[in-house]
Amino acid sequence: MGSMTDTQTTEVETALETLRERWRRLQESPETPRSTMDVIEYGLGKQQRAEVYVNRLLCYLLDPEASHGMDAAFLAAFLDGLPSDTGFDEDTYDLSDVRVNEQVTVESSDLPDDSHGYADLVIDVPNEWVLLVELKFSAAETGTEFYSDASHIGGNRVSEYESGRYYVYLHQRDEPEASSDSFVNWTWQSFVADVLDPILAEFTLRYPQRTATQLHDLKTDIRSITNMDEQHAIDQQKVALY
């Protein structure tokens, strides 16, 4: 068999280079736009910052009085999407009296004066009902026993909420659940599926562009923090294939 000519050698080298380039592109993951949390340097590995970011954005979007342009639509979706075990049976048709606050002081008259904590989210109607929500992203569960036994939430006596008192622990599916039996467990995965996805699918065209972007960013960041994002799934598949 005769040796290859220079022309044939060049053709083979070109074909090999083409194959190498195609293989390189197959191995590369396409770059995606950075999320809001990533842009402002709330690193996904920094637990406290991630919680603060999501906590503040959720509080803003849930507040009917805020300037997001949704009025009480997102709040109603949030309350309607609560797990059935919560037993939440309050009127969500008129939410004009509802208050939404973050990092609310929680105290107990049965403990020393310096015994207090800060609830991540508190949604309430004075003298009627209160919903206390704790948000967690892989950090150890702390405080739920204290919160469920507390005598005051935001300066208001818990006993004054005559209609209902509700406690929700929002956490990752694979992380420990709340230690207090008063808290109902709700996963971020379920929150995205039952609240965020329907809102994004049905109502975002009605909202200001900035608000729609914030809702999309909230979903993207929650999926990233909780390892629900597509890139994580792709990386896991690559590891399995390797």
Side-chain angles (χ1 to χ4, degrees):
M1 185 175 180
S3 60
M4 296 177 61
T5 65
D6 292 343
T7 300
Q8 290 174 322
T9 301
T10 301
E11 290 176 351
V12 170
E13 291 176 345
T14 300
L16 286 174
E17 184 60 33
T18 300
L19 287 174
R20 292 192 190 99
E21 179 62 21
R22 289 179 178 176
W23 177 245
R24 183 184 65 78
R25 291 179 180 178
L26 286 173
Q27 289 181 308
E28 286 184 348
S29 298
E31 186 175 1
T32 57
R34 298 170 64 190
S35 69
T36 302
M37 184 167 63
D38 187 31
V39 169
I40 60 179
E41 297 181 351
Y42 277 98
L44 298 182
K46 298 178 180 177
Q47 176 69 30
Q48 186 176 5
R49 290 186 177 183
E51 287 185 6
V52 169
Y53 161 77
V54 174
N55 197 97
R56 289 180 177 174
L57 184 53
L58 259 182
C59 182
Y60 166 74
L61 294 171
L62 287 168
D63 187 357
E65 300 297 322
S67 59
H68 44 60
M70 295 187 291
D71 297 323
F74 187 70
L75 174 60
F78 183 87
L79 296 176
D80 291 341
L82 290 170
S84 58
D85 293 349
T86 308
F88 187 85
D89 191 29
E90 308 295 336
D91 178 23
T92 58
Y93 180 76
D94 182 9
L95 297 172
S96 58
D97 294 332
V98 174
R99 304 182 302 183
V100 181
N101 292 288
E102 59 150 343
Q103 294 301 300
V104 177
T105 303
V106 178
E107 301 170 297
S108 177
S109 58
D110 298 329
L111 296 173
D113 293 339
D114 59 352
S115 296
H116 65 276
Y118 296 94
D120 291 329
L121 279 175
V122 171
I123 304 171
D124 75 333
V125 175
N127 302 317
E128 293 189 23
W129 58 267
V130 61
L131 169 64
L132 187 152
V133 185
E134 275 296 282
L135 315 179
K136 288 296 177 182
F137 293 109
S138 79
E141 190 277 305
T142 57
T144 55
E145 290 283 359
F146 172 78
Y147 293 146
S148 59
D149 294 335
S151 60
H152 292 77
I153 298 176
N156 302 304
R157 292 194 63 84
V158 174
S159 59
E160 294 176 356
Y161 292 104
E162 298 179 355
S163 179
R165 283 153 276 181
Y166 312 96
Y167 303 88
V168 171
Y169 187 67
L170 196 46
H171 68 111
Q172 291 194 137
R173 182 183 293 124
D174 55 350
E175 293 298 327
E177 298 181 344
S179 58
S180 171
D181 292 336
S182 298
F183 274 78
V184 172
N185 297 287
W186 193 18
T187 66
W188 286 108
Q189 289 84 350
S190 294
F191 166 73
V192 169
D194 298 338
V195 178
L196 267 182
D197 280 344
I199 281 284
L200 288 169
E202 297 180 27
F203 300 112
T204 49
L205 291 178
R206 307 179 190 177
Y207 302 150
Q209 182 178 358
R210 179 174 293 179
T211 298
T213 299
Q214 289 171 335
L215 288 168
H216 280 286
D217 280 343
L218 177 61
K219 176 181 177 178
T220 298
D221 291 328
I222 288 175
R223 291 179 65 87
S224 296
I225 299 169
T226 58
N227 294 330
M228 295 166 61
D229 62 307
E230 294 179 2
Q231 186 55 52
H232 177 78
I234 292 172
D235 291 341
Q236 290 294 94
Q237 290 175 2
K238 286 183 178 179
V239 170
L241 288 172
Y242 179 78

